[in-house]
Amino acid sequence: MKDYIKADEWKIIEEGFKPELNKISESLCSIGNGHQGQRANFEETYSGETLQGSYMAGVYYPDKTRVGWWKNGYPEYFAKVLNATNWIGIKIWIDGEELDLATSKVSQFSRILNMQEGFLERSFVAKLNSGKEIKVKSQRFVSAKRKEIGAIKYQITPLNFSGKLETELFLDGDIKNEDANYDEKFWEEVDKQATNEVLCLTLKTKKTGFYLTTATTFEVFQEDAALSLETHIISKEKYLSLKTQTELKQNEKTTIYKFASQVTSRDVENADLVSVAKSSLQTAFAEGFESLKKEQAETWAEKWKHADIVIEGDIKAQQGIRFNIFQLDQTYTGTDERLNIGPKGFTGEKYGGSTYWDTEAYCLAFYLATAEPKVAKNLLVYRYKHLQKAIENAQKLGFTNGAALFPMVTMNGEECHNEWEITFEEIHRNGAIARAVFDYVNYTQDKEYLADFGLELLIAIARFWAQRVHFSQPKQKYVMHGVTGPNEYENNINNNWYTNVLAAWCLDYTKETIDFVEKNYPQKYENLALKIDFKAEEIKKWLDISQNMYYPADEKLGIFLQQEGYLDKEQILVADLPQSERPINQKWSWDRILRSCFIKQADTLQGIYLFEDRYDIETIRKNFEFYEPRTVHESSLSPCVHSILASKLGMKEKAYQMYLRTSRLDLDDYNNDTEDGLHITSMAGTWMSVVQGFGGMRVRNGELYFTPYLPQQWKGFSFRIGFKNAWIQIKVSTELISLKNETTQEISLFIYQKNYTLKANQELKIDVKKIEDNIFA
């Protein structure tokens, strides 16, 4: 754990230059807009430790899988989001000496991510080897309104000299991914054009054939006067730059403005890429940096209007939740149904930038409540459009009759994970996708979605489960062998409780959905049945499975067993592990981990979280008190589920501890891996910890419920929820629970099981002390 980020409600502040932490800070201060993203790399040359990263949404390369033993059904490649053209580069020379913070004496260094207004700034004083000192201040952002545009303001002030400034503003496409399996570069040059004012570089990915055109231009000011400078064009393979020089005067600022436009063939025909890139660049340039920055602040103000969570009296908790919300809204905007949410977003290369089950299990809830319904719907449509690929994935493993196994990792619907125990065994992902259909319909009441998309997907998943189980004669139950649950510190186990529960539920929900669609959309049902050759006889088998599924349990302890044989393991608690052996995934052999009882993330508790209404409070408590002390929380997805369940159980201190851990997982580098990129999908879990945990929000049968309480470390908190065309603000303090309907749409909801109706623009205030059934009173 590292504690070097200064606490601030709206900013991520790094003070003092610490080269050993640079890659962490590059991750933390990343910027993006759903179309492109950029790590917080320096604009000027830096020869120290860095992970250069500029990424374009949906642009990937199928890097050939690297394994020692190939198995049937194994993915041929691992899809990777590509490190794309470096557009931020500005090389600086002072009287022929290059500025490089790795070789300079650096003071007054700060790097600040302004989350409220959506930009990154950096300042420092550098003393070069010659003794010359310069002060630099830079600001940059990628536009939240104009997705192709990025802009930089770079100011240089000589402090103890006057002299010559040389600059080289470049586009560098000769880059590679740090995680390339065979150390190859994934881009080929297609075209480059250069004038004394504009550079334009077009690249193409190998194999996948994505085109990217990046155009850039610049202007230079001294004080308030624009300079007319001679430029020298430098052209190399996959590289273009404009080199200029001017005179510096002591204590006088020179300001460089650099603008870039990045356009891909995902959105524009190849023949039009250059003209579109140049056109959007020229429009942005004419607008100017300060005007674009003002537009950026206004756009983010609108985002924060709906998504913000305010925490009073706990600045680190406040910083944590805003950081998580900011990164989520930078990563996914919901305007493009071809896109999804990679675990690292636009902040690093790990996990390939691909789609995992994290989206359905964690992210969907955030976008359902904080954005327009179409944003969440597009996440589901993304999976529907990959249904045929999911059927093909299942066929590779021997499944028939239109059974679908959605991939654990994908860019285009095809499985591309390169670890066999996850590719073949971690099949609970199918259940998460089915559950997302339920959650979306339950929240929005968009039941026509079931007829148009959802039912076809559910039937394909149900067909998979029906073939994946088998009947055990000794148990006289259906069982599921050779699986991996959410706890990836167990592989090839039998009867993972969570997976079995999810599979049985999915079969029942599919039957329920069939009945609904057949009754309410008979023609669409008939067309679908014909399309997928569905026969009602299949349902009989599904119901037999769901009614006779085996669920391992221990009656003496009163708990569900994570899997068969779990209690045969040596039972050691995490509290008994020496700190020197944590995290175990970095200190232990994989063999030792697999033999241990330690749990990477919520597994059985994940199932209890999803289906909590099935279980009484004591059952939930017994399982929580058994499994949480054995959980090392070495997955970023783990703390949030524990925080929510702890809130439900009235374990307020544990809930707060788990919230703080999930909200500051990257800010404090809990798992020693933030340098690889941020844990974007788990950030939605931070939001869930507040809204579903401390706010107690649930949606049951299309109705909204709250059971809020205030953590003792806070003076109050508030958040907004979009539900059934209404926006509701919920405020919780030591004395009052306040609910305000901020729209003209009347809304019904429940507070501690009591029904209230909020009329248009009405505010309701409830005295906490008068709530008779407040379980936390």
Side-chain angles (χ1 to χ4, degrees), residues 201-247:
L201 178 65
T202 300
L203 306 175
K204 180 181 74 170
T205 61
K206 298 177 181 177
K207 294 185 180 179
T208 46
F210 291 105
Y211 281 65
L212 166 65
T213 294
T214 307
T216 189
T217 191
F218 77 103
E219 57 184 346
V220 181
F221 285 73
Q222 284 186 336
E223 295 306 315
D224 296 322
L227 303 184
S228 179
L229 301 174
E230 290 187 9
T231 58
H232 173 62
I233 298 170
I234 299 175
S235 177
K236 297 183 288 187
E237 184 183 4
K238 293 182 278 190
Y239 183 95
L240 279 173
S241 69
L242 291 172
K243 197 164 186 179
T244 68
Q245 68 178 48
T246 189
E247 293 299 317

Side-chain angles (χ1 to χ4, degrees), residues 116-148:
Q116 188 171 23
E117 298 182 7
F119 68 91
L120 170 66
E121 62 182 335
R122 184 170 56 102
S123 61
F124 59 88
V125 171
K127 184 176 183 179
L128 306 181
N129 292 331
S130 62
K132 295 182 173 69
E133 291 185 340
I134 59 170
K135 181 178 181 180
V136 173
K137 182 177 181 180
S138 69
Q139 294 182 338
R140 76 168 181 255
F141 58 89
V142 289
S143 173
K145 190 169 184 178
R146 309 166 190 239
K147 68 178 186 179
E148 300 91 357

Side-chain angles (χ1 to χ4, degrees), residues 508-561:
D508 288 338
Y509 180 56
T510 304
K511 162 66 166 61
E512 176 187 322
T513 304
I514 288 170
D515 292 344
F516 172 81
V517 173
E518 186 176 20
K519 178 181 178 180
N520 294 279
Y521 301 92
Q523 189 59 56
K524 289 184 177 181
Y525 174 78
E526 184 179 329
N527 293 342
L528 176 61
L530 186 64
K531 174 185 176 182
I532 64 175
D533 193 25
F534 176 72
K535 303 292 191 300
E537 299 85 69
E538 292 183 58
I539 298 174
K540 184 177 179 181
K541 175 69 179 295
W542 297 352
L543 295 182
D544 185 46
I545 294 170
S546 70
Q547 292 166 12
N548 294 283
M549 184 72 84
Y550 175 69
Y551 305 109
D554 186 275
E555 293 183 7
K556 184 177 178 180
L557 293 174
I559 63 169
F560 308 120
L561 289 182

Side-chain angles (χ1 to χ4, degrees), residues 729-743:
Q729 184 187 57
I730 298 93
K731 290 184 178 181
V732 182
S733 68
T734 54
E735 298 178 352
L736 290 175
I737 298 170
S738 169
L739 297 102
K740 184 177 181 181
N741 184 352
E742 298 183 330
T743 56

Side-chain angles (χ1 to χ4, degrees), residues 10-270:
W10 279 108
K11 296 177 180 178
I12 305 304
I13 302 173
E14 175 192 16
E15 292 183 335
F17 183 52
K18 307 172 187 70
E20 71 278 10
L21 301 176
N22 183 52
K23 288 166 70 174
I24 297 173
S25 298
E26 289 178 340
S27 297
L28 293 176
C29 295
S30 295
I31 53 176
N33 64 5
H35 170 72
Q36 61 176 309
Q38 174 66 51
R39 283 174 62 85
N41 309 121
F42 300 160
E43 290 88 358
E44 70 278 353
T45 296
Y46 183 63
S47 59
E49 279 290 310
T50 181
L51 174 58
Q52 183 69 42
S54 177
Y55 309 103
M56 302 302 302
V59 176
Y60 69 94
Y61 177 82
D63 201 9
K64 185 178 178 182
T65 302
R66 191 166 194 160
V67 293
W69 178 22
W70 196 272
K71 303 172 182 65
N72 287 335
Y74 208 86
E76 295 182 2
Y77 66 88
F78 187 71
K80 293 176 177 176
V81 65
L82 296 187
N83 195 352
T85 300
N86 177 6
W87 64 272
I88 67 170
I90 305 174
K91 294 181 181 179
I92 302 292
W93 290 268
I94 305 296
D95 289 330
E97 187 176 3
E98 187 169 16
L99 173 61
D100 180 350
L101 296 197
T103 59
S104 304
K105 184 177 180 180
V106 181
S107 61
Q108 301 178 42
F109 179 94
S110 70
R111 178 164 28 191
I112 301 173
L113 178 64
N114 185 319
M115 300 180 290
Q116 188 171 23
E117 298 182 7
F119 68 91
L120 170 66
E121 62 182 335
R122 184 170 56 102
S123 61
F124 59 88
V125 171
K127 184 176 183 179
L128 306 181
N129 292 331
S130 62
K132 295 182 173 69
E133 291 185 340
I134 59 170
K135 181 178 181 180
V136 173
K137 182 177 181 180
S138 69
Q139 294 182 338
R140 76 168 181 255
F141 58 89
V142 289
S143 173
K145 190 169 184 178
R146 309 166 190 239
K147 68 178 186 179
E148 300 91 357
I149 298 301
I152 299 170
K153 178 182 181 180
Y154 195 92
Q155 293 181 319
I156 304 168
T157 305
L159 299 181
N160 62 354
F161 70 97
S162 296
K164 185 172 70 174
L165 167 68
E166 293 177 274
T167 65
E168 185 177 341
L169 295 90
F170 64 84
L171 298 176
D172 185 6
D174 191 27
I175 37 77
K176 68 177 184 178
N177 277 44
E178 190 175 79
D179 66 349
N181 284 344
Y182 296 91
D183 202 34
E184 65 177 314
K185 294 180 179 179
F186 302 140
W187 293 97
E188 296 175 336
E189 182 181 305
V190 174
D191 179 63
K192 56 175 178 270
Q193 301 175 17
T195 68
N196 289 328
E197 296 176 345
V198 177
L199 303 176
C200 197
L201 178 65
T202 300
L203 306 175
K204 180 181 74 170
T205 61
K206 298 177 181 177
K207 294 185 180 179
T208 46
F210 291 105
Y211 281 65
L212 166 65
T213 294
T214 307
T216 189
T217 191
F218 77 103
E219 57 184 346
V220 181
F221 285 73
Q222 284 186 336
E223 295 306 315
D224 296 322
L227 303 184
S228 179
L229 301 174
E230 290 187 9
T231 58
H232 173 62
I233 298 170
I234 299 175
S235 177
K236 297 183 288 187
E237 184 183 4
K238 293 182 278 190
Y239 183 95
L240 279 173
S241 69
L242 291 172
K243 197 164 186 179
T244 68
Q245 68 178 48
T246 189
E247 293 299 317
L248 292 175
K249 295 180 181 180
Q250 186 172 347
N251 295 321
E252 183 178 289
K253 283 188 298 188
T254 297
T255 303
I256 302 166
Y257 294 100
K258 184 178 182 182
F259 303 84
S261 173
Q262 301 216 87
V263 182
T264 76
S265 56
R266 295 182 65 259
D267 301 314
V268 176
E269 294 293 331
N270 292 348

Side-chain angles (χ1 to χ4, degrees), residues 759-774:
K759 295 181 180 180
N761 299 307
Q762 181 185 0
E763 184 173 7
L764 172 68
K765 294 184 178 181
I766 304 171
D767 188 337
V768 172
K769 296 177 182 177
K770 293 181 179 179
I771 300 175
E772 294 181 355
D773 55 350
N774 181 349

Side-chain angles (χ1 to χ4, degrees), residues 667-715:
L667 289 173
D668 295 337
D669 196 22
Y670 269 90
N671 292 340
N672 294 317
D673 59 359
T674 302
E675 66 178 30
D676 297 329
L678 305 177
H679 297 83
I680 300 297
T681 48
S682 73
M683 290 177 172
T686 304
W687 179 90
M688 290 160 58
S689 297
V690 175
V691 175
Q692 297 181 7
F694 307 137
M697 187 187 105
R698 301 291 188 274
V699 179
R700 299 186 177 100
N701 299 317
E703 297 290 341
L704 196 55
Y705 290 75
F706 294 97
T707 55
Y709 78 96
L710 184 67
Q712 66 178 12
Q713 293 87 351
W714 299 356
K715 295 178 181 178

